[in-house]
């Protein structure tokens, strides 16, 4: 506790408390009492967390083969993986989301898609959001994983080979865990960034927490208070993610080679 | 030399002070033909633009069009970034809590437009179990919340009317509510003809729709009287009808109060 309460921290905490107190005293918060907004806010928070989690998991599952292909794959796998990462990382995520949602959507009218069994699913917005956000994660983390796979000391892999370990077992037990271990802090940071990318899907009718705040602002003409609440919610979720990754890091042994 | 520069600067400064600032007319940046839309050269054209030119000439005001995002147009007015909202904004009691309105300058009904054969009638019975799309913060949204919220399977809100049109054409929503005039234009477009039909006008509700469209002004702005006088003048001298004839084959003023 003594080490935590440094003078600069005390000043910052006091400033934060003053800002919160000012917002509570002078702001207009009556909308927080309305049950229709409470339900929307809770649903929105859940949707933001859900989108972040699902797209990070799906994206990482894609990023591992993409990173591996780039790190050690033959050229006919490495080249497409490299091109994919370049395109995803070189274009705005908002554009990718819109191309998927409105671009694909404009191709549907009058085709077999609208009569197929998949249409009730493809009609909704969330599948496009999940796909776009996951592809984005795959692109960025594919690059991260490329470095991670290359960074595992060669001696580790050769030792495993010398012991007669099969290739897949070597990958599962030696290579992947050590690679993931190295980039865990990076992935933690990218998860926070991913959380803050989710508001982009509010533009394709998904009512996550950012869209909910926008809705409240437009309904009530109260400009700043919903944004203030939004900031607190995002900081809380981001804090949760940071703590989770700290815990994960503390559980994994840090010795390499 | 320095003195000359300084005095020149002073003249410039006082010169601009002496000259009245042009009136900044806020128009939603999103095209809304045939009222406000940029042409191929980026100039704003449409009924509302011609109407504004006539009003400003009548009231001897210098006016400049200032495109502003629709969802932030009321805050832009109250914070002084624009002086007048002229963007087919319906006069509603809810908005009048925050801003003032001039007298109405046109009034049109709300159309329900749907995928061919999807909706039988423009009422609760027709919409039961359907997905409805609306542009956010419009009278149509207020109307849908009041009458259709319980009947529909889902209400999807969009930032611009263009996005509602695209999702209706893509079949992701069954029906949309929109202003009758741009609605007629959509139905004449290629996408509109292919997918959709006019179901009809929704039943009138003075509380939500009855007041027509007016200029939005800051509370207590004396400009209100100037604009009201100008609207009356060009209604009386035939300029209003002359402009309307160029765009519509019927009177868009609605009932004379």
């Amino acid at each position: 506790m003594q080490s935590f309460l440094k003078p600069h921290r005390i000043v910052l905490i006091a400033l934060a408390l003053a800002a919160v107190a000012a917002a509570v005293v002078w702001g207009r918060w009556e909308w927080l009492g309305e049950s229709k907004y409470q339900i929307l806010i809770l649903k929105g928070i859940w949707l933001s967390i859900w989108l972040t989690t699902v797209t990070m998991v799906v994206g990482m599952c894609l990023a591992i083969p993409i990173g591996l292909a780039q790190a050690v794959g033959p050229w006919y796998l490495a080249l497409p993986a490299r091109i994919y990462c370049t395109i995803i990382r070189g274009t705005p995520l908002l554009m990718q989301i819109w191309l998927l949602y409105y671009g694909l959507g404009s191709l549907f009218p009058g085709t077999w898609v609208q009569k197929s069994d998949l249409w009730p699913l493809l009609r909704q917005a969330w599948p496009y959001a999940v796909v776009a956000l996951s592809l984005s994660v795959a692109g960025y983390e594919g690059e991260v994983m490329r470095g991670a796979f290359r960074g595992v000391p060669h001696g580790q892999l050769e030792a495993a080979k010398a012991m007669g370990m099969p290739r897949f077992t070597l990958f599962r037990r030696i290579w992947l865990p050590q690679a993931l271990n190295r980039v865990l802090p990076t992935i933690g940071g990218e998860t926070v960034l991913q959380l803050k990318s989710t508001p982009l899907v509010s533009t394709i009718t998904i009512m996550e927490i950012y869209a909910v705040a926008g809705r409240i602002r437009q309904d009530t003409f109260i400009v700043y208070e919903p944004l203030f609440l939004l900031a607190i919610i995002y900081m809380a979720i981001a804090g949760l993610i940071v703590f989770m990754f700290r815990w994960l890091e503390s559980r994994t042994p840090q010795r390499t080679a | 030399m320095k003195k000359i520069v300084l005095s020149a600067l002073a003249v410039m400064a006082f010169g601009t002070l002496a000259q009245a600032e042009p009136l900044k007319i806020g128009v939603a940046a999103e095209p809304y033909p045939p009222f406000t839309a940029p042409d191929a050269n980026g100039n704003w054209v449409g009924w509302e633009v011609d109407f504004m030119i006539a009003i400003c000439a009548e009231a001897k005001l210098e006016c400049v069009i200032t495109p502003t995002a629709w969802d932030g147009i009321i805050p832009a007015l109250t914070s002084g970034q624009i002086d007048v909202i002229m963007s087919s904004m319906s006069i509603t009691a809810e908005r009048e809590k925050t801003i003032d309105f001039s007298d109405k300058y046109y009034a049109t009904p709300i159309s329900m437009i749907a995928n061919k054969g999807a909706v039988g009638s423009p009422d609760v019975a027709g919409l039961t179990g359907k997905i409805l799309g609306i542009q956010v913060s419009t009278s149509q949204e207020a109307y849908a919340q009041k009458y259709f919220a319980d009947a529909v399977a889902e209400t999807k809100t969009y930032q611009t009317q263009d996005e509602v049109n695209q999702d209706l054409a893509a079949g992701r929503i069954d029906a949309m509510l929109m202003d009758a005039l741009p609605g007629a234009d959509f139905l004449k477009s290629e996408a509109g003809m292919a997918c959709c039909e006019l179901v009809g006008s929704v039943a009138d509700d003075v509380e939500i729709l009855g007041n027509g469209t007016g200029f939005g002004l800051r509370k207590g702005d004396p400009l209100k009287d100037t604009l009201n006088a100008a609207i009356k003048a060009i209604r009386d001298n035939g300029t209003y009808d002359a402009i309307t004839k160029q765009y519509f084959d019927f009177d868009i003023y609605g009932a004379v109060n």
Side-chain angles (χ1 to χ4, degrees):
Chain A
M1 201 62 194
Q2 200 71 43
S3 62
F4 180 75
L5 287 175
K6 300 257 171 56
H8 71 279
R9 286 206 179 114
I10 296 175
V11 171
L12 282 176
I13 292 169
L15 279 177
L17 287 178
V20 171
V24 169
V25 173
W26 286 303
R28 288 169 59 193
W29 296 97
E30 65 275 10
W31 48 274
L32 264 180
E34 284 186 45
S35 62
K36 75 168 176 178
Y37 292 140
Q38 288 167 354
I39 294 166
L40 275 175
I41 289 169
L42 289 178
K43 276 187 181 166
I45 293 174
W46 163 244
L47 201 51
S48 288
I49 295 175
W50 183 88
L51 273 172
T52 309
T53 314
V54 169
T55 59
M56 273 312 283
V57 169
V58 175
M60 277 309 293
C61 290
L62 294 170
I64 289 168
I66 290 171
L68 200 61
Q70 288 194 78
V72 293
W75 70 268
Y76 53 84
L77 287 180
L79 190 68
R82 169 60 56 83
I83 291 172
Y84 173 77
C85 287
T86 307
I87 291 174
I88 292 289
R89 301 201 313 163
T91 53
L93 176 56
L94 182 61
M95 191 204 80
Q96 296 164 14
I97 292 172
W98 274 53
L99 271 183
L100 260 176
Y101 184 75
Y102 289 111
L104 268 184
S106 69
L107 302 177
F108 290 156
T111 61
W112 59 271
V113 179
Q114 290 190 334
K115 290 171 197 78
S116 73
D117 293 337
L118 276 176
W119 181 239
L121 184 71
L122 291 175
R123 230 190 142 175
Q124 297 172 54
W126 67 265
Y128 301 87
V130 168
V131 169
L133 289 173
S134 300
L135 290 180
S136 164
V137 173
Y140 282 94
E141 304 323 301
E143 280 292 304
V144 171
M145 289 313 292
R146 176 179 68 96
F149 282 123
R150 284 222 177 122
V152 174
H154 218 67
Q156 295 273 324
L157 307 179
E158 287 187 343
K161 264 185 221 161
M163 300 291 283
M165 200 179 261
R167 272 169 73 181
F168 185 71
T169 315
L170 182 151
F171 178 74
R172 190 170 53 85
R173 302 233 325 236
I174 313 282
W175 208 359
L176 183 62
Q178 289 198 22
L180 281 178
N181 215 347
R182 288 169 164 263
V183 292
L184 212 47
T186 313
I187 294 172
E190 301 264 335
T191 310
V192 173
L193 284 178
Q194 181 70 3
L195 167 72
K196 290 181 288 179
S197 298
T198 55
L200 292 177
V201 303
S202 68
T203 61
I204 55 167
T205 75
I206 292 180
M207 290 295 280
E208 44 68 73
I209 187 65
Y210 184 86
V212 171
R215 170 73 177 278
I216 295 171
R217 293 175 72 198
Q218 282 155 349
D219 278 4
T220 59
F221 303 119
I222 297 172
V223 182
Y224 299 108
E225 287 83 348
L227 288 182
F228 194 75
L229 179 76
L230 198 60
I232 290 174
I233 289 170
Y234 276 116
M235 278 198 285
I237 304 176
L240 214 66
I241 294 171
V242 169
F243 275 121
M244 220 183 63
F245 273 86
R246 289 244 173 95
W247 176 77
L248 268 178
E249 282 168 42
S250 73
R251 271 176 53 96
T252 50
Q254 288 303 310
R255 267 185 310 132
T256 46
Chain B
M1 189 60 204
K2 232 177 201 171
K3 259 185 194 160
I4 297 172
V5 172
L6 275 181
S7 56
L9 277 176
V11 166
M12 278 161 65
F14 285 113
T16 47
L17 276 183
Q19 208 175 31
E21 284 272 307
L23 209 56
K24 290 205 267 302
I25 311 283
V27 169
E30 302 81 6
Y32 197 60
F35 288 95
T36 51
D39 67 10
N41 300 320
N43 301 316
W44 287 85
V45 294
W47 182 90
E48 227 172 351
V49 177
D50 289 355
F51 169 74
M52 177 203 83
I53 292 167
I55 288 282
C56 291
E58 179 66 39
K60 301 195 170 49
L61 295 165
E62 196 192 333
C63 304
V64 289
I65 287 184
T66 309
T68 308
W70 171 254
D71 60 353
I73 206 162
I74 288 179
L77 177 73
T78 54
S79 66
Q81 290 165 31
I82 54 175
D83 300 309
V84 177
I85 295 173
M86 180 198 74
S87 203
S88 297
M89 184 177 267
S90 309
I91 305 165
T92 63
E94 186 66 28
R95 288 189 179 125
E96 276 177 329
K97 287 180 195 163
T98 311
I99 59 172
D100 274 0
F101 280 100
S102 71
D103 293 341
K104 77 162 181 179
Y105 54 78
Y106 80 84
T108 51
I110 290 180
S111 284
M112 185 182 293
I113 294 171
N115 282 125
K116 281 175 183 153
V119 176
S121 54
D123 50 26
V124 171
L127 270 186
T128 299
K130 306 290 184 195
I131 302 175
L132 181 66
I134 336 172
Q135 186 186 0
V136 78
S137 306
T138 55
S139 307
Q140 290 89 296
E141 192 191 15
Y143 191 94
Q145 274 181 7
K146 183 170 174 185
Y147 291 100
F148 302 136
D150 296 330
V152 294
E154 192 185 351
T155 304
K156 290 192 175 187
T157 51
Y158 299 80
Q159 292 300 314
T160 67
Q161 185 62 44
D162 269 352
E163 293 160 43
V164 193
N165 296 352
Q166 283 185 52
D167 256 11
L168 184 68
R172 289 206 186 95
I173 52 177
D174 294 305
M176 63 178 177
L177 292 181
M178 71 185 289
D179 195 87
L181 291 163
D185 270 9
F186 170 71
L187 284 171
K188 275 183 237 156
S189 71
E190 200 186 326
M193 275 194 286
C195 70
C196 309
E197 63 185 2
L198 177 70
V199 183
S201 297
V202 298
D204 200 13
D205 179 339
V206 179
E207 212 179 293
I208 295 176
L209 317 170
N211 301 312
T213 298
F215 290 113
L217 297 154
R218 275 184 289 275
K219 281 250 175 235
D221 193 333
L223 204 54
K224 181 174 169 177
D225 298 327
T226 318
L227 292 178
N228 284 346
I231 294 170
K232 190 169 182 330
I234 68 162
R235 289 271 308 152
D236 289 345
N237 70 17
T239 314
Y240 184 97
D241 291 334
I243 294 170
T244 305
K245 277 205 185 79
Q246 293 172 30
Y247 292 91
F248 309 107
D249 41 18
F250 53 96
D251 182 22
I252 62 167
Y253 188 76
V256 179
N257 301 332

